[in-house]
Each structure stands twice: as structure tokens, then as C-alpha cells.
Amino acid sequence: MSSSSALPPNPLLAMAITEKLTRTNYPIWEAQVLSTIKGARLYGHLTGSMVVPEKKNADKEGKQVLNPTFEEWESRDQQTLSFLFASVSRDILSHIAKSKTAQAAWAKIEAMFASQTRARAVNLCIALANTKKGNLSATEYFTKMKGFIDEMAVAGRSITDDELVEYILTGLPTEYESLVTSLVMRVESVTLDELYA
């Protein structure tokens, strides 16, 4: 019996991605894939931090034999690569299909969507700066602004709660001027929960 038969089962087999990667849903897809792969403790295969062991080593007689540690690493890497292949649309698969490792496929995917992600983050910053309460209810306005922040986090760009409070206050009409003044004059920061209340 070969050592490969002793490998543990694929931890990704039972994991389902609800939305395959297309040209328009990268942030949602990435969030699903990363949580699944990190949960399976295979994230190092995407980043390259899971060091590749020597493919062969010497046995007791000095003969070069396949290293069982390499076999296990290769099995996990191919399971991760297979999971990536299964989680993308045919259009995206055509760009990564020749990848031999999970890290190579991940790097190609990240490169394909890097500019799209940056553009999305910039557009969300512009939306935050330009959104006004207008005729929205306070709850609708707060929810809309909070939604922009959540989308930015998915796009890899975070905004602090203090910054969000500033954006929200900036978008309020003059009838909220006394509220804005009292909040701005406070020494301590206003939390999102306090602002919402």
C-alpha cells in the first residue's frame, strides 16, 4: 500500500461555494473562498507560505525515494487547486486552467481582479463623500452609508468608525445642524451605535 493512501480526506469536499466567480462578483466570491480555505487550514497553499518539501529524499539504503511529506503537501495543494477550479465560471477557468499549483491559480485570479477591486474601492469612497440624506429616513440613510463601508471591507479597503461618522454627519441637511455641532464638539469619539441611537 502506498503512503498516499494514508492521506486524510479532502477537507474542501463538503464545502459549497454558492456563487461561482464571474467578471462581476469577485468580492463576494473571494469572501466565500477565503473563509472556506482558511477554515480547512489550507490558506498557506494560496499564499505560498506552506513551504514545498523536497520531492525526494534518501531511504535507509541511500536510494532516492518519494518524500511522504511532499506527497501530502502535493495532495493538499491539488485539492485546493481543484476547489478553486470548481468555484469559478468557465470564462475565468480558461485563464487559470494551466496553473499547476493553487498559489499560481490564486495569483492569476488576484491579478485579473486587482484593478477592478481598486476601482470599486475608489467608487465607494466617492459615493460615501457624495451621498446626502436627502429624503431618506435616518434609518435608510444610516443603512445605506453602512452598506458602503461593508462593501469597501469586501473590496479590501477599510474605513474606521470615526471616518464613517464623519461621512454620515457631512451628508446631513441643515435641519440636523444642532446635532452635528453637539457631536463634533464632544471630546470623545462618537460610536456608530451612539450615532444611530
Side-chain angles (χ1 to χ4, degrees):
M1 185 175 342
S2 79
S3 62
S4 62
S5 64
L7 291 175
N10 184 348
L12 297 170
L13 279 179
M15 308 297 181
I17 295 298
T18 58
E19 199 168 331
K20 288 190 175 205
L21 177 62
T22 66
R23 298 248 179 228
T24 60
N25 66 348
Y26 177 72
I28 294 168
W29 174 86
E30 181 189 38
Q32 292 180 91
V33 166
L34 286 180
S35 66
T36 301
I37 288 179
K38 286 177 180 178
R41 298 181 178 173
L42 296 171
Y43 184 61
H45 286 279
L46 298 184
T47 64
S49 65
M50 191 77 76
V51 180
V52 183
E54 292 294 323
K55 188 171 185 173
K56 293 189 175 190
N57 55 18
D59 66 6
K60 293 177 187 174
E61 299 162 6
K63 253 178 31 180
Q64 289 293 311
V65 295
L66 196 57
N67 179 358
T69 307
F70 173 80
E71 283 186 297
E72 183 171 340
W73 176 89
E74 184 178 47
S75 172
R76 292 293 188 206
D77 192 69
Q78 291 304 297
Q79 291 169 0
T80 307
L81 180 61
S82 176
F83 177 76
L84 289 176
F85 286 165
S87 72
V88 301
S89 67
R90 185 177 183 87
D91 179 41
I92 304 299
L93 183 59
S94 68
H95 293 282
I96 65 169
K98 291 188 179 183
S99 300
K100 301 295 183 208
T101 64
Q103 182 185 7
W106 188 252
K108 285 181 182 178
I109 291 169
E110 283 188 321
M112 285 173 63
F113 291 95
S115 63
Q116 179 184 346
T117 302
R118 276 192 303 276
R120 180 72 181 136
V122 167
N123 287 334
L124 287 165
C125 278
I126 292 168
L128 274 169
N130 293 327
T131 299
K132 304 293 181 209
K133 181 184 174 296
N135 60 1
L136 297 172
S137 71
T139 301
E140 290 169 334
Y141 175 59
F142 183 86
T143 302
K144 183 175 186 174
M145 296 296 277
K146 182 77 171 81
F148 289 144
I149 297 303
D150 294 342
E151 285 184 57
M152 285 187 73
V154 170
R157 180 129 177 234
S158 60
I159 297 286
T160 66
D161 285 354
D162 284 342
E163 290 172 304
L164 177 56
V165 167
E166 290 170 14
Y167 280 121
I168 290 172
L169 293 178
T170 302
L172 292 174
T174 55
E175 62 207 50
Y176 288 87
E177 191 172 323
S178 62
L179 171 67
V180 171
T181 302
S182 67
L183 293 175
V184 170
M185 298 302 285
R186 286 178 55 160
V187 175
E188 67 278 349
S189 296
V190 178
T191 67
L192 285 176
D193 291 335
E194 289 174 319
L195 180 63
Y196 182 74

